[in-house]
């Protein structure tokens, strides 16, 4: 059984290894799945709102911790962070030190290089997410290319795989900086495609599946904004504009759905209070 | 944790107090109607990240009975009751004068209407208390009942705030009824503009809190 990565409201994950990507309890939200069966890259976004035009976020202070015990990567991390206008609050080189600084500073971003031993790194991640379930953690995996799904399962936003160089870190930071906008259809789709291109996908091979967009309160006399329809319409419209073919779509209705996307065969399992279907 | 409204500790305290008074009154009203002792916890007012919101209500895919009712008038916001299916049905039974356990299947029209009435009374009293205190007009919207997965319903509840905040300022109070297995949550929130209005109003009436 492949490992399951839960994509919470407003999150986005792209992988190039077998995993189950799941969006739980999609009501008016839309679960958008894109995949490239040639490069074997798949992703899911849990979209909440149609349009980022009206979004008005307050600025967040971008503080960061760098955890690494090698000079070369620290330098590369530092340069990228400074360019992206992050404040570097601490640089640590042991697991214990990282955790205590994390507790003390509660940084916006924690950038960890996996030169630490696997066990101690796992423990560190567990502790970090115990303190703050929504901590932004990016891992620079040094040792192996293939071992990164378990990090994503734990809640890490992004994993940089070897070889590690500045461009990859920059790309990852861009992903983190934009993640609060992943709840909007327009930005989620763009960033998901960018991420897939970074895995070597080409646009001609990318296909889409769309699930969700229900109208949860349809049976009542009062008019409630049908945000589900707005969401699914917007997603479909953007995909059409980009000429990404939609191979399956299950949208509308008035039930919440849980969708599980198997990235080894691109099958989709949808569960609702009414039952279960596999597409 | 990042907080995306700029509220000082005192302003947050004032908001909490407002919630307490509203909830207290509403619990008394509900007690009277049911003729049972209704226990309400002191509302917990805090910032909750959108991405983990449903974890506070039994996980994203647990099926719950909810009543959604918007706040209308000079402020705008949302209220939501969340009950497990068993608790929700139990509460409907109590409203209808039956012992909990009577309603087994889906709610019928009468049951749904009783459930809505409960929300009307509760939210109405809660808003009355707040409007009296702040001297503004507030009205409960028409309540809507839905039974489905928590996360799918929370979506509607979080919609407006989701456009500008990662963490949402939300108050949550636990409701339980003595001797009957009825246990649920009442959550409410205001949108950003309304929060600012409330804080301004409180400052006008009770002076600057920072002194």
């Amino acid at each position: 059984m492949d490992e399951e990565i839960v994509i919470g409201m407003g999150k986005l994950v792209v992988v190039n290894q077998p995993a189950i990507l799941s969006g739980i309890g999609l009501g008016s939200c839309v679960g958008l799945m894109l995949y490239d069966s040639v490069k074997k890259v798949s992703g899911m976004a849990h979209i909440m709102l149609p349009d980022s035009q009206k979004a008005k976020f307050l600025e967040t202070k971008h503080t960061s911790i760098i955890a690494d015990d090698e000079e070369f990567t620290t330098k590369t991390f530092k340069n990228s962070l400074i360019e992206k206008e992050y404040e570097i609050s601490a640089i640590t080189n042991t697991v214990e030190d990282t955790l205590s600084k994390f507790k003390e500073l509660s940084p916006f971003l924690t950038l960890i290089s996996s030169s630490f031993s696997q066990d101690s790194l796992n423990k560190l991640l567990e502790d970090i997410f115990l303190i703050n379930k929504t901590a932004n953690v990016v891992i620079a995996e040094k040792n192996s290319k293939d071992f990164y799904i378990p990090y994503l399962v734990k809640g890490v936003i992004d994993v940089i795989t070897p070889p590690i160089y500045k461009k990859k870190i920059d790309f990852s930071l861009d992903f983190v900086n934009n993640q609060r906008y992943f709840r909007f259809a327009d930005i989620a789709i763009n960033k998901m495609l960018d991420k897939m291109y970074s895995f070597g996908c080409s646009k001609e091979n990318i296909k889409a599946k769309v699930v969700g967009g229900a109208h949860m309160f349809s049976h009542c006399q009062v008019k409630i904004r049908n945000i589900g329809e707005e969401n699914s319409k917007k997603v479909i419209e953007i995909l059409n504009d980009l000429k990404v073919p939609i191979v399956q779509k299950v949208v509308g209705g008035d039930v919440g759905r849980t969708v599980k996307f198997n990235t080894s065969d691109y099958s989709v399992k949808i569960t609702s209070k009414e039952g279960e279907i596999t597409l | 944790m990042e907080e995306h409204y700029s509220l000082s500790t005192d302003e947050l305290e004032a908001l909490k107090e407002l919630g307490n008074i509203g909830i207290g009154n509403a619990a008394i009203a509900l007690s009277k109607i049911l003729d049972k002792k209704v226990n309400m916890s002191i509302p917990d007012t805090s910032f909750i990240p959108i991405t983990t919101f449903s974890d506070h209500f039994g996980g994203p895919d647990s099926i719950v009975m909810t009543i959604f009712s918007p706040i209308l008038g000079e402020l705008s916001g949302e209220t939501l009751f969340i009950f497990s299916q068993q608790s929700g049905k139990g509460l409907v039974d109590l409203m209808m004068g039956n012992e909990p356990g009577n309603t087994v299947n889906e709610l019928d029209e009468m049951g749904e209407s009783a459930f809505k009435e409960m929300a009307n009374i509760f939210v109405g009293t809660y808003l009355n208390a707040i409007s009296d205190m702040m001297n503004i007009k507030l009205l409960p919207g028409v309540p809507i009942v839905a039974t489905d997965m928590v996360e799918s319903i929370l979506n509607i509840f979080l919609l407006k705030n989701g456009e500008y905040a990662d963490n949402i300022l939300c108050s949550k109070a636990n409701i339980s009824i003595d001797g009957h297995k009825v246990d649920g949550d009442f959550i409410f929130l205001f949108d950003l503009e309304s929060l600012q209005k409330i804080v301004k109003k409180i400052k006008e009436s009770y002076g600057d809190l920072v002194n």
Side-chain angles (χ1 to χ4, degrees):
Chain A
M1 188 65 196
D2 293 322
E3 292 195 72
E4 180 175 341
I5 305 174
V6 176
I7 323 286
M9 227 186 250
K11 292 225 159 186
L12 153 51
V13 166
V14 174
V15 295
N16 65 350
Q17 281 175 33
I20 307 284
L21 305 181
S22 60
I24 299 177
L26 302 167
S28 56
C29 284
V30 168
L32 168 67
M33 291 147 274
L34 295 180
Y35 66 96
D36 175 339
S37 51
V38 179
K39 289 280 175 188
K40 299 198 170 24
V41 175
S42 320
M44 183 192 272
H46 189 151
I47 295 165
M48 234 183 122
L49 290 154
D51 208 332
S52 64
Q53 294 297 320
K54 287 181 219 139
K56 38 171 185 184
F57 285 102
L58 291 186
E59 272 306 308
T60 321
K61 213 171 169 211
H62 283 175
T63 52
S64 62
I65 292 183
I66 300 176
D68 175 49
D69 57 359
E70 271 180 42
E71 200 155 334
F72 167 71
T73 17
T74 310
K75 246 187 196 160
T76 325
F77 284 167
K78 251 175 149 174
N79 289 339
S80 295
L81 286 170
I82 290 166
E83 249 171 55
K84 298 268 174 194
E85 293 175 350
Y86 273 82
E87 177 194 318
I88 300 167
S89 315
I91 296 177
T92 59
N93 40 36
T94 62
V95 170
E96 295 74 29
D97 200 18
T98 310
L99 187 63
S100 75
K101 286 285 184 224
F102 179 85
K103 263 188 203 155
E104 183 192 328
L105 302 164
S106 47
F108 173 79
L109 172 70
T110 310
L111 197 51
I112 305 171
S113 146
S114 72
S115 50
F116 301 125
S117 83
Q118 204 65 67
D119 288 345
S120 54
L121 182 60
N122 282 340
K123 181 78 178 55
L124 174 64
L125 288 177
E126 260 167 44
D127 291 339
I128 282 179
F129 288 117
L130 215 59
I131 297 168
N132 179 2
K133 221 181 158 185
T134 55
N136 295 327
V137 181
V138 173
I139 303 251
E141 167 71 59
K142 275 189 181 169
N143 308 318
S144 141
K145 239 187 183 137
D146 315 317
F147 181 77
Y148 72 89
I149 300 276
Y151 295 139
L152 295 176
V153 173
K154 283 200 174 70
V156 167
I157 294 189
D158 200 14
V159 183
I160 307 167
T161 49
I164 292 165
Y165 47 86
K166 190 168 165 299
K167 213 175 140 194
K168 276 194 183 172
I169 297 171
D170 285 349
F171 189 81
S172 204
L173 289 181
D174 183 61
F175 193 74
V176 175
N177 279 342
N178 275 298
Q179 50 131 356
R180 61 189 340 193
Y181 297 102
F182 292 168
R183 74 186 67 157
F184 300 104
D186 48 348
I187 297 193
I189 296 176
N190 271 321
K191 291 293 162 188
M192 197 153 144
L193 286 170
D194 280 353
K195 187 91 189 155
M196 292 178 78
Y197 299 149
S198 82
F199 277 107
C201 299
S202 50
K203 206 174 142 195
E204 305 79 66
N205 299 328
I206 295 176
K207 296 189 179 76
K209 299 192 178 194
V210 185
V211 174
H215 189 26
M216 296 308 292
F217 299 107
S218 61
H219 56 282
C220 58
Q221 303 95 326
V222 241
K223 271 262 183 218
I224 281 253
R225 183 177 170 195
N226 190 349
I227 190 74
E229 193 181 12
E230 285 179 44
N231 280 338
S232 54
K233 265 193 179 157
K234 184 79 184 181
V235 169
I236 291 164
E237 182 194 309
I238 297 174
L239 291 174
N240 285 341
D241 285 350
L242 292 166
K243 301 202 167 52
V244 173
I246 301 169
V247 288
Q248 273 160 1
K249 81 181 165 197
V250 179
V251 294
D254 61 358
V255 289
R257 304 174 173 95
T258 286
V259 49
K260 290 188 193 294
F261 181 42
N262 186 335
T263 69
S264 27
D265 59 3
Y266 316 108
S267 66
V268 171
K269 196 167 92 182
I270 302 170
T271 329
S272 72
K273 63 176 181 183
E274 288 167 353
E276 189 181 300
I277 44 169
T278 304
L279 299 170
Chain B
M1 176 163 302
E2 291 297 325
E3 291 167 6
H4 295 288
Y5 321 108
S6 37
L7 282 182
S8 70
T9 327
D10 293 311
E11 288 166 349
L12 194 61
E13 282 306 314
L15 280 172
K16 282 185 186 172
E17 192 49 35
L18 199 68
N20 289 354
I21 293 167
I23 291 282
N25 278 293
I28 294 169
L30 191 57
S31 285
K32 280 188 185 154
I33 304 228
L34 296 174
D35 199 17
K36 297 266 185 300
K37 188 164 181 268
V38 175
N39 301 314
M40 292 284 326
S41 67
I42 293 173
D44 167 23
T45 302
S46 58
F47 284 90
I48 305 179
I50 285 195
T51 41
T52 59
F53 213 92
S54 51
D55 294 354
H56 296 257
F57 306 99
D61 56 353
S62 53
I63 303 236
V64 288
M65 270 173 81
T66 62
I67 316 172
F68 173 81
S69 173
I71 300 169
L72 308 173
E74 287 178 50
L75 298 177
S76 94
E78 268 85 34
T79 69
L80 186 71
F81 288 91
I82 301 181
F83 295 100
S84 69
Q85 293 204 75
Q86 191 201 5
S87 288
K89 286 170 187 167
L91 188 59
V92 170
D93 287 334
L94 286 176
M95 283 292 291
M96 312 269 282
N98 299 325
E99 269 304 297
N102 214 45
T103 308
V104 183
N105 302 320
E106 294 271 304
L107 287 190
D108 55 15
E109 211 171 305
M110 268 299 277
E112 194 171 309
S113 159
F115 204 37
K116 282 182 185 168
E117 195 49 33
M118 187 283 299
N120 253 336
I121 290 158
F122 192 93
V123 177
T125 324
Y126 158 75
L127 291 179
N128 254 337
I130 295 183
S131 23
D132 283 353
M133 207 175 130
M134 297 186 35
N135 197 21
I136 48 174
K137 267 204 194 85
L138 291 177
L139 293 164
V142 180
I144 306 161
V145 176
T147 302
D148 213 309
M149 298 180 205
V150 177
E151 182 128 334
S152 64
I153 289 166
L154 281 175
N155 202 354
I156 298 281
F157 183 71
L158 299 175
L159 202 63
K160 273 193 209 147
N161 284 262
E163 294 201 317
Y164 51 80
D166 301 332
N167 301 301
I168 289 182
L169 183 66
C170 170
S171 303
K172 172 182 165 215
N174 182 269
I175 312 176
S176 63
I177 295 171
D178 265 359
H180 303 280
K181 283 180 189 149
V182 173
D183 185 49
D185 289 306
F186 175 65
I187 52 177
F188 57 96
L189 53 76
F190 292 100
D191 62 22
L192 186 57
E193 250 169 62
S194 301
L195 274 180
Q196 287 161 343
K197 258 194 219 166
I198 295 172
V199 169
K200 197 171 152 229
K201 204 80 183 178
I202 294 176
K203 276 187 180 163
E204 276 170 18
S205 323
Y206 301 93
D208 204 341
L209 296 151
V210 196
N211 51 31

